[in-house]
Amino acid sequence: MDENVHVIERYERAWIVFGLGMIAVFIVLIGYLMIANRGTIPISAGRVDATQVRSAGDFANPRVEQVGNEYVVYVQAFAFGYLPTEIRVKAGRKVTFNITSPDAQHGFQIERTNINPQVIPGEVVQVSHVFRTPGEYRIICNEYCGIGHANMVSKIIVEP
Amino acid sequence: MAVRTLSQMDAYAGAPEKKYTLYMLMLGFIALMVGTLFGPLQSFNYGGLDLYPFLKPVFQNYYQGLTLHGVLNAIIFTQLFGQAIMVYLPARELGLRPNMTLAWVSFWMALIGLLIAALPLLANAASVLYTFYPPLKAHWAFYLGAALFVLSSYVSIYLALEMWARWRKAHPGQITPLVTYMSVTYWLMWLLASLGLVVEVALFLIPWSLGLLDGVDPLLMRTLFWYTGHPIVYFWLLPAYALAYTTLPRLAGGKLISDPLARLVFLLFLLFSVPVGFHHQFADPGIAPYWKFIHTILTMMVAVPSLITAFTIAASLENAGRNNGGKGLLGWIAALPWNNPTVLAFLLGFLAFIPGGAGGIVNASFNLNQNIHNTVWIPGHFHLQVGTLVTMAAMGTAFWLVPHLTGKPLVARGMALASQWLWFIGMFIMTFALHWMGFLYAVPRRSHIAGSPIAMEAYRESAAWMVLNIVAGVILLIAAILFFYVLYATALQSRREPSQVMAEVPFTEVLSKAEGSSLAQLTERVWFWFGIALLLVVLAYGPVLFQMFTHMNPVPGVRLW
Ligand code: HEM
Ligand SMILES: [Cu+2]
Ligand SMILES: [Cu+2]
């Protein structure tokens, strides 16, 4: 066995090349998907004064707005819930969420979708999604935000 | 590799660094024990079984326990183990003594820092989890104690580099011995990596918690945190790797395949560990997608040294198995010394590392990450890495290291073996369940679901997986009891029998040596590579951090627990 060390090194080189090749493939796939699913990538839609969120501006009036054939939603994620308490949209249309928090960091994961942004006080995070299948989708807070964190669940109703 | 004979076994006077190492190690294991206490309770929580009402007079809520679990296991235990191993091993390899005064300074800094941070933790005044994201605001003593604790590692950096410098002066032109090389690159990596956390805590969180600042910018704090937060996992992992490279082959009855490749692995960690933190911020606003993509590429690069490690360790183990008489395609596996608790711990740990590494690549892949970010998939993933491989490497090493340091032979070897099997099986079941619950049902991490009827209703479809968490919790509880019994029974017995313990650190021999290897020569220019690592960090972080520092949006702190 000890004499085989050079054979082993050849195999090891092959393994490293194989590993690098796989990584290259992954990187290309990720790059492609990032472009193809651009809307699901959380981006910044401006900043706000976290202490004013409840009293002034778009988020003091959390709502679903219909703009042409699309929806724009303003969501306040607070300890421990979401406003508006219920979001209703129609299937097959683009929904753009703008979300911020007046207190701690929160999550906004919509089950069975790729929507999963971090909600950070002072930052407005934007993501969008087209719901293809009607039904109810849970919104889950998945960032620890205090004692009521586990209760922080809401829903989106997608109508046909 | 230079292996020197040890000084007297029974008297620490001959080898004071042994006493220091033992203290670091045992303090780390005490932290692990207290931290681990909450583990099974958390598994039960994810099984829908809520035992927290019974803890009420002592521990106020789930999140206080979870903070203790994360801090004690992932920060305290891991760092102390690194400080023990990555100072002691090079000292033994070089036959040098670390500066003992400073070594004890580092111990006392760690202990005092730990005690200061423990007070608010135990008083439920810092239930902010081990990531302490602002604006959740803990008591100042938590940040101060944590800072002192982490700064203790800077003394260890000095200890290792000073021994290396002393050796180089005495051996001009020679290649740094392998373990020392690993230790030096490890500590330099940590020096670079820890800066984010140090800036976050010293410049922002301590002044903020003392009331000197009205608010801090949560996005900037997250960015500084994850600057350190990714490489910190390599800070946890590399002591286990160093032991796997330089002692495991020998313990298993074989030799390390290649010394130069082992150096390359540590060098790649020095280069790529730090500039990857945005893969923890894929979900964050305020960081442009192309920056996230750049960090994705670099993250993929840092998988390479672990891929190399997988090969080298497997090949070295095969070498061992065949030396022991194993034949055929798989016969060498059966021929490994499975009845040696140290070897067993490493073998099982590495087995768990395979799915753990695969999960890591998933997490690093932007779009896949969107599916599992902040779900229980994540704790499922890292319990394979740190909860299984790193912890088992430490437990397995303790089985020979504590006897080696104290001269007291291992007691209850059968229990030691059983503890490792049970730990592995328990972790495997738990992580399996957590992965699927996170992936299929979006069950969130860090959630006291068993205490919330709303949550139990929301995740009821994952009931079948929840049962596995309860089973795993019970198995892991038994595993932990067995391990800590063996550890303390060994360390606290009065019997000292130097003839029955390993007199020397079991450094392995190597097949492909460093001498004459151009790769080893190339890796030897440590300061040059450190400069490159620094440059990579500046390129990958500089513009974003500059932008954030010049456009801060501070928000006030809140206490919501
Ligand atoms: C008996 C063994 C253990 C069990 C049953 C266990 C179980 C768990 C569970 C179920 C969680 C998820 C809790 C949640 O997200 O709400 C968790 C979190 C965690 N565990 Fe463990 N664990 C064990 C040992 C360890 C060890 C040995 C380490 C590290 C050395 C570790 C490090 C962590 C960390 C860092 C977290 C994340 C804490 C956070 O999200 O704030 N655990 N553990
Ligand atoms: Cu929340
Ligand atoms: Cu929450």
Side-chain angles (χ1 to χ4, degrees), chain A residues 1-2 5-6 8-9 11-12 15-16 19-20 23 26-27 29-31 33-34 37 40-44 47-51 79-80 103-105 109 111 113-118 120-126 138 140-151 153, chain B residues 61 63 127-129 133-136 217-219 222 255 257 261 282-286 289 292-293 296-297 300 304 307-308 311-312 315 319 322 361 365-367 370-371 373-375 442 444-449 452 454-455 458-459 511-512 551 553 555-556 558 560-561:
Chain A
M1 171 84 187
D2 287 12
V5 60
H6 295 294
I8 300 173
E9 279 174 0
Y11 280 121
E12 174 143 41
W15 165 252
I16 295 172
L20 286 170
I23 285 173
F26 292 156
I27 290 174
L29 276 174
I30 296 165
L33 286 169
M34 276 179 75
N37 301 341
T40 66
I41 297 176
I43 55 167
S44 179
R47 304 174 110 182
V48 288
D49 179 347
T51 59
F80 302 99
D103 42 53
Q105 297 188 30
Q109 179 171 24
E111 59 172 346
T113 74
N114 255 358
I115 301 301
N116 195 356
Q118 191 81 20
I120 300 176
E123 309 283 330
V124 179
V125 64
Q126 187 179 77
R138 256 187 298 270
I140 298 159
C141 176
N142 58 18
E143 183 60 67
Y144 167 64
C145 52
I147 201 77
H149 168 53
N151 295 328
V153 183
Chain B
N61 58 62
Y63 304 103
S127 300
V128 291
L129 306 189
Y133 293 143
L136 289 182
D217 181 328
L219 178 63
R222 281 175 70 81
K255 294 177 182 171
I257 296 297
L261 271 171
F282 283 151
D284 287 20
K292 295 178 181 173
F293 186 61
T296 303
I297 297 174
M300 291 288 176
V304 173
L307 284 173
I308 301 178
F311 189 100
T312 309
N319 174 281
R322 298 205 186 282
I361 303 234
S365 305
F366 200 120
N367 310 83
Q370 289 176 310
N371 234 283
H373 168 66
N374 269 353
T375 68
R445 67 185 289 193
R446 305 178 150 182
S447 228
H448 187 199
I449 63 169
S452 158
I454 298 174
Y459 313 121
L511 293 180
S512 234
H551 295 79
N553 186 12
V555 307
V558 288
L560 297 170
W561 66 89

Side-chain angles (χ1 to χ4, degrees), chain B residues 378-446:
Chain B
I378 302 297
H381 158 68
F382 65 66
H383 280 82
L384 288 170
Q385 316 290 82
V386 65
T388 311
L389 176 62
V390 172
T391 308
M392 289 184 80
M395 295 192 288
T397 299
F399 293 143
W400 68 259
L401 185 56
V402 172
H404 162 84
L405 295 172
T406 57
K408 299 173 179 182
L410 183 71
V411 300
R413 197 187 156 85
M415 272 194 199
L417 287 166
S419 74
Q420 297 310 295
W421 275 111
L422 289 175
W423 190 278
F424 171 74
I425 294 168
M427 279 294 173
F428 220 92
I429 297 174
M430 178 180 88
T431 54
F432 189 64
L434 292 178
H435 273 98
W436 287 111
M437 285 168 69
F439 176 60
L440 292 179
Y441 305 104
V443 177
R445 67 185 289 193
R446 305 178 150 182

